[in-house]
Amino acid sequence: MFQKKKGAGMKIKGRFDKIYEIKKSPSMVYFGLYVPGMVDDDIQEDGCLKCSGIIPKYEKGTWLTVEGEKIKEETEERNIFQVSAVYLLTETEKMSRDFLKRVAKELEDDYELKLSPTGIKKITEACDQDVVKFFETREMETALRELTEKCKRIKKETLEQCVHTIYRRIGEYDVVKYLASFDCPMEASLTLVERYGKFAVQQLKEHPYQIGYYAGLDFFMRDKIARAEQKQPLDEERIKALLYTALNDILKSSGSTYVFYPELKERVNQMVEKSSWPEIALTDTHLILTMGEMNNLVLEKTKDGVRIYRKCFFQYESSITKDLCRLNERIPDETFNPDEIPDIERKLGITYDIHQKNALDVLKTSGVKIITGGPGTGKTTVVNGIIELYKRMHPGKRILLCAPTGRAAQKMSEVTGMESFTICRALEFRPFGDGEMRHKDKDSPIEASLLILDEMSMVDEEIFSLFLDAVKTGSTVILIGDENQLQSVCSGNVLHDLIRTEKFEMHRFKKVFRQKNGNTIIDNSYKVLDGQLDLEKNAQFQIHRYWKEETAIQDILTEFEHSYDPKEISKVQILTATRIGMSGTIELNKKIADVFNKDKEEEDFFFSRGYVYHVGDKVIFSRNNYDKGYYNGDIGIILQINRNGFSVGLGEDIIRVSGKSLMEVSPAFAITVHKSQGSEAGEILILLSDEYKSMMTKNLLFTAITRAKKKVQIYYVNDAFSSCIKTRQQERKTGLEEKIKGVRREILNG
């Protein structure tokens, strides 16, 4: 079992057994290797040789050849084997087939593709019994072409994915090892290998800023790689990466769609100080000349200075403006009959007040209409009336109900009794080609004459522009939302911008329709908006004050553990203002997971971005992925762990998360208030820390409170509660309102 190679270490062949421990910094994995027939004093009680090195988590039983040497660590009773290199495959026929068996299982688990034993035999024979050598000596396209000619009975899709998986497997270790030297996350390695196979390291070395960005590496990691590969500090690609990253960071943190140059320059200078070349300052000349050559930026001259947009945001605002102008032509609808309203009231068992009856007038004409109001003001009641009235006016014509997230769409279905869609589902997103997507647009519009879009405060400019582009001219579009809710997670402030233009028919509801026994949650939410501190406290609404943050955290975690039910994930939810810090979602989720997963098997986990995921963990998606079918804000449960990631249950759908998708998912026992928009839970536990008071506003607390259906508990430290109620959310910089009003600007870079 042992081989000694001159100039190298010892080589050992064995089967991967388990991971003992993962250290994040420095990157290191301690794992067990079962070596058949090995008799050695250093063998652990479980029969494995304990090894250390940089290695992905392989499926148990995977054959490996590891190279390295035995070392003695102070904390260990026995020597451990320090790995310097790992070889997935061996030169023998048996090992080639074993490897293909693992590939076959991976295809079945991750892609639901079947590679039969006969198919394995055919591929092994086509590779002259040495699968590794065959693929290591050929480009992917060449290998696929040869195998297609020799293995004609294997389905084309299966064979293509099989070849792709083999290349990923072969190149995986080199990428993991290379990136680990720069403290890069393991999921970045998986992303690169999926895209570039065994050439991933080569591509990254040649184009660290571009390829690293695709892999999700931050600028500073890409900068380390660039310096190690002897790139130059004034290289154009580096300056472009600095500018784009700085701009993106500002826009992401503020929610704005543009910045002024002084703010951008300041952020760039701050990044340079922390970069791999802190001694090399960048002048205005460097920055301005480079910006002028960047195709992904738009520079717009205003009286207040030069606005710098990401090109996509400028295009979103321009597209929204054009489509709103197209759709807002108010053509009278002669079928509108107000005499139907009393019968509708009887059918729905309600009585409309004068403001609600006036809102039904949105159906008098086509065009774009806005209905806004807080919780309990009757927006849903009016929507149900609009739907019923429109059905009578236009029997047979389609009504489309949609919302930004799956949770919000589900809620809309529950209150209207009609099927409701996410905006993305309404647009019918579907994959097309290499990473491209097709969807409904002006050439293939949505087949609906009345479109009702709920939770407009959550809708960002990107998704709104896509939605409007797919609406047929002459349709009626009704936008419903609460202008006091938090702004959208992504950039823009669409609902506020539309309201401020005064270009659209609008109905604003202010009267709160009280329930028979009152509703303390709704009453207190409006008190928060009014800046009142004397909130009503009862069994439905409780407030707890603490002098120490640790005590507040302990109490909120205890309450969560007591109330949480994995079979009913919306029963209770922790909300906080931020991801970072002691009271942030990252630390809270780790503490909760430690309690819930303490008795689970060591092998039943997946390590990603500093967090260990287990079956049963509650997770949230942070981006829209139209190909895989999940959207920003969707919450689900991990159903299964596999080698490359895990499967998540979203209602009746099962989503497979691996590679780049791992960057788009996070634990969700605790989530930020921003992420909670559009969703509800029976009980809401709100944590207000005095460490991040600048992030906490009355709009944030209002939004958090209104997520609760049955009960609210607020846990706050020192004066965080009063500070929160006294602070309003910061205005976002957008150009949408001006564009809709027809304000023209000079574009400096074409």
Side-chain angles (χ1 to χ4, degrees):
M1 302 308 292
F2 299 90
Q3 285 181 301
K4 192 76 174 180
K5 192 175 178 181
K6 190 174 180 181
M10 182 184 292
K11 281 189 174 182
I12 303 175
K13 295 177 184 178
R15 294 182 183 270
F16 178 84
D17 188 78
K18 67 179 71 173
I19 288 180
Y20 296 114
E21 183 184 1
I22 298 176
K23 288 187 177 180
K24 194 176 178 184
S25 184
S27 296
M28 186 68 68
V29 176
Y30 291 89
F31 63 98
L33 189 73
Y34 176 71
V35 185
M38 185 176 183
V39 179
D40 197 298
D41 292 339
D42 296 321
I43 295 294
Q44 306 288 311
E45 283 85 356
D46 58 8
C48 294
L49 177 68
K50 189 172 184 179
C51 305
S52 66
I54 308 301
I55 186 173
K57 184 189 176 187
Y58 294 111
E59 179 186 335
K60 185 174 181 177
T62 300
W63 276 98
L64 305 173
T65 298
V66 297
E67 183 177 331
E69 60 181 347
K70 290 185 178 182
I71 63 169
K72 180 66 179 177
E73 289 193 349
E74 294 181 1
T75 57
E76 295 291 329
E77 295 182 6
R78 300 174 174 87
N79 291 324
I80 67 173
F81 193 81
Q82 189 176 54
V83 176
S84 58
V86 173
Y87 308 94
L88 270 174
L89 310 170
T90 72
E91 55 284 347
T92 66
E93 176 184 352
K94 180 178 180 303
M95 298 305 295
S96 289
R97 290 195 180 186
D98 280 352
F99 171 68
L100 287 177
K101 287 179 182 178
R102 296 193 298 274
V103 170
K105 187 177 187 308
E106 191 171 326
L107 291 175
E108 196 167 348
D109 289 345
D110 291 353
Y111 306 102
E112 298 181 349
L113 300 174
K114 188 82 173 172
L115 182 63
S116 67
T118 303
I120 292 172
K121 182 181 178 182
K122 289 288 184 184
I123 294 174
T124 306
E125 291 173 352
C127 295
D128 295 326
Q129 309 298 339
D130 194 333
V131 176
V132 185
K133 185 178 179 181
F134 180 87
F135 282 93
E136 285 184 338
T137 55
R138 290 166 174 79
E139 300 286 340
M140 187 184 298
E141 292 77 11
T142 304
L144 181 59
R145 185 174 62 252
E146 290 186 27
L147 289 180
T148 302
E149 293 173 356
K150 297 178 180 179
C151 307
K152 294 181 179 180
R153 293 189 178 182
I154 300 176
K155 291 182 179 180
K156 182 180 178 182
E157 183 187 6
T158 302
L159 192 59
E160 287 179 348
Q161 193 57 62
C162 178
V163 170
H164 183 83
T165 303
I166 290 171
Y167 267 89
R168 176 170 54 77
R169 282 266 188 145
I170 291 173
E172 196 170 66
Y173 180 74
D174 288 338
V175 182
V176 171
K177 185 177 181 180
Y178 181 77
L179 288 182
S181 64
F182 300 100
D183 289 328
C184 298
M186 185 179 292
E187 55 267 26
S189 312
L190 300 176
T191 300
L192 288 175
V193 173
E194 281 187 355
R195 178 68 179 267
Y196 301 104
K198 64 181 180 179
F199 306 105
V201 172
Q202 177 187 333
Q203 289 288 327
L204 186 60
K205 287 181 177 181
E206 291 177 4
H207 308 286
Y209 296 106
Q210 296 175 9
I211 306 301
Y213 177 80
Y214 169 79
L217 302 180
D218 66 30
F219 172 81
F220 301 104
M221 289 179 181
R222 289 178 278 153
D223 213 39
K224 284 182 184 178
I225 295 171
R227 183 148 193 170
E229 299 301 328
Q230 299 183 340
K231 305 296 183 183
Q232 297 302 310
L234 297 181
D235 183 271
E236 184 178 301
E237 292 304 315
R238 180 174 187 259
I239 300 176
K240 286 181 178 180
L242 266 168
L243 283 164
Y244 192 78
T245 303
L247 177 62
N248 230 18
D249 287 349
I250 296 172
L251 298 183
K252 188 175 181 180
S253 61
S254 67
S256 300
T257 60
Y258 69 82
V259 300
F260 289 109
Y261 176 69
E263 184 180 3
L264 179 62
K265 180 185 175 182
E266 183 181 358
R267 179 63 64 91
V268 168
N269 289 337
Q270 291 171 353
M271 290 177 62
V272 169
E273 291 176 1
K274 299 177 182 178
S275 74
S276 298
W277 287 277
E279 72 281 4
I280 308 295
L282 297 177
T283 65
D284 287 335
T285 303
H286 285 129
L287 299 177
I288 293 171
L289 288 177
T290 303
M291 280 194 298
E293 296 176 2
M294 293 175 67
N295 296 325
N296 52 2
L297 302 185
V298 172
L299 278 58
E300 184 185 59
K301 187 177 180 180
T302 73
K303 64 180 182 180
D304 299 319
V306 176
R307 295 176 177 177
I308 304 166
Y309 284 87
R310 280 181 59 188
K311 187 176 183 178
C312 60
F313 288 140
F314 186 86
Q315 291 174 332
Y316 297 151
E317 292 182 352
S318 301
S319 175
I320 290 170
T321 302
K322 179 182 177 182
D323 283 320
L324 285 174
C325 182
R326 172 177 64 86
L327 294 168
N328 200 36
E329 186 179 0
R330 300 176 191 176
I331 303 171
D333 190 332
E334 302 297 336
T335 63
F336 179 80
N337 183 7
D339 295 337
E340 295 277 4
I341 294 175
D343 187 52
I344 290 173
E345 288 178 312
R346 284 191 294 272
K347 181 178 178 178
L348 299 179
I350 55 176
T351 302
Y352 291 120
D353 72 358
I354 185 64
H355 300 291
Q356 293 174 317
K357 285 182 180 179
N358 289 339
L360 297 178
D361 287 353
V362 295
L363 298 181
K364 278 185 176 180
T365 64
S366 61
V368 179
K369 321 295 176 74
I370 299 173
I371 296 176
T372 182
T377 56
K379 296 192 300 296
T380 300
T381 303
V382 170
V383 168
N384 282 328
I386 290 171
I387 292 171
E388 182 63 28
L389 183 56
Y390 193 83
K391 286 179 179 179
R392 299 185 183 200
M393 292 167 55
H394 301 286
K397 285 191 175 182
R398 188 189 180 202
I399 302 171
L400 176 71
L401 309 182
C402 55
T405 66
R407 287 297 181 93
Q410 183 182 355
K411 179 184 172 184
M412 198 177 188
S413 294
E414 292 169 355
V415 298
T416 63
M418 289 181 60
E419 186 177 14
S420 183
F421 303 84
T422 63
I423 300 175
C424 297
R425 188 179 165 202
L427 291 171
E428 297 182 15
F429 274 88
R430 56 201 183 277
F432 175 70
D434 186 18
E436 294 185 39
M437 302 298 298
R438 281 185 173 175
H439 51 78
K440 293 289 186 180
D441 55 23
K442 60 180 179 294
D443 297 321
S444 176
I446 298 170
E447 291 301 325
S449 52
L450 173 64
L451 301 96
I452 301 175
L453 177 51
D454 198 14
E455 295 287 358
M456 264 304 296
S457 63
M458 297 176 60
V459 177
D460 59 74
E461 289 189 352
E462 178 184 7
I463 198 67
F464 195 53
S465 68
L466 294 175
F467 173 77
L468 292 179
D469 185 51
V471 178
K472 293 191 295 185
T473 301
S475 301
T476 300
V477 179
I478 301 175
L479 309 174
I480 303 174
D482 183 355
E483 57 188 314
N484 291 310
Q485 294 279 350
L486 280 174
Q487 300 150 331
S488 59
V489 175
C490 299
S491 294
N493 199 6
V494 176
L495 180 61
H496 284 74
D497 287 344
L498 298 188
I499 291 173
R500 285 195 292 258
T501 65
E502 299 181 349
K503 295 280 189 181
F504 309 98
E505 180 183 341
M506 190 179 78
H507 298 269
R508 180 182 275 114
F509 298 156
K510 295 182 179 180
K511 180 182 177 181
V512 177
F513 295 89
R514 300 186 180 276
Q515 298 179 2
K516 184 177 180 181
N517 299 318
N519 189 318
T520 309
I521 295 174
I522 292 178
D523 290 346
N524 281 343
S525 70
Y526 284 104
K527 284 185 176 182
V528 168
L529 285 181
D530 291 338
Q532 300 181 36
L533 295 171
D534 57 333
L535 306 188
E536 182 181 349
K537 304 177 189 65
N538 53 31
Q540 193 180 34
F541 202 103
Q542 298 175 17
I543 303 175
H544 314 278
R545 185 178 187 182
Y546 299 85
W547 301 109
K548 291 184 178 180
E549 194 161 359
E550 295 88 344
T551 311
I553 291 171
Q554 185 56 54
D555 281 4
I556 201 171
L557 294 181
T558 300
E559 177 64 23
F560 182 84
E561 184 182 357
H562 174 74
S563 303
Y564 182 70
D565 183 355
K567 297 179 181 178
E568 189 182 349
I569 60 175
S570 62
K571 183 179 179 181
V572 61
Q573 180 67 63
I574 296 177
L575 300 182
T576 186
T578 179
R579 295 179 64 252
I580 59 176
M582 188 188 301
S583 61
T585 58
I586 295 174
E587 290 302 318
L588 291 176
N589 279 308
K590 286 181 179 179
K591 286 182 169 67
I592 296 170
D594 286 344
V595 174
F596 286 162
N597 298 321
K598 61 183 177 182
D599 297 326
K600 293 186 177 178
E601 293 291 327
E602 186 67 25
E603 292 84 0
D604 188 27
F605 75 92
F606 188 87
F607 183 80
S608 176
R609 298 166 68 194
Y611 188 85
V612 180
Y613 292 95
H614 292 80
V615 170
D617 279 5
K618 185 177 178 182
V619 295
I620 185 169
F621 293 95
S622 58
R623 293 182 185 175
N624 296 330
N625 190 314
Y626 312 119
D627 189 5
K628 287 183 174 288
Y630 60 79
Y631 309 103
N632 188 6
D634 282 349
I635 295 177
I637 290 286
I638 295 179
L639 303 177
Q640 185 181 28
I641 301 287
N642 55 52
R643 179 182 176 277
N644 299 311
F646 42 81
S647 300
V648 177
L650 286 180
E652 297 180 356
D653 298 326
I654 297 177
I655 308 298
R656 301 183 189 280
V657 180
S658 62
K660 194 175 182 179
S661 313
L662 292 166
M663 310 288 282
E664 301 169 350
V665 69
S666 305
F669 295 117
I671 60 175
T672 63
V673 180
H674 277 89
K675 285 294 185 186
S676 74
Q677 291 182 95
S679 65
E680 289 183 328
E683 181 179 5
I684 293 293
L685 309 177
I686 304 169
L687 179 59
L688 302 178
S689 167
D690 63 349
E691 186 178 358
Y692 299 98
K693 287 191 286 188
S694 61
M695 301 178 64
M696 294 184 292
T697 65
K698 65 172 66 179
N699 304 85
L700 180 138
L701 184 55
F702 173 79
T703 302
I705 290 172
T706 54
R707 299 309 92 203
K709 293 191 288 186
K710 297 179 180 179
K711 186 176 181 180
V712 171
Q713 295 200 62
I714 299 174
Y715 300 75
Y716 75 96
V717 183
N718 296 321
D719 62 343
F721 178 70
S722 59
S723 175
C724 188
I725 289 180
K726 293 175 183 176
T727 307
R728 289 199 65 84
Q729 64 185 349
Q730 187 178 357
E731 285 288 323
R732 292 180 170 181
K733 299 187 189 77
T734 77
L736 182 59
E737 180 186 352
E738 292 176 346
K739 287 182 175 66
I740 294 173
K741 288 180 175 179
V743 179
R744 296 187 177 275
R745 305 293 192 191
E746 181 184 357
I747 307 301
L748 300 180
N749 62 338

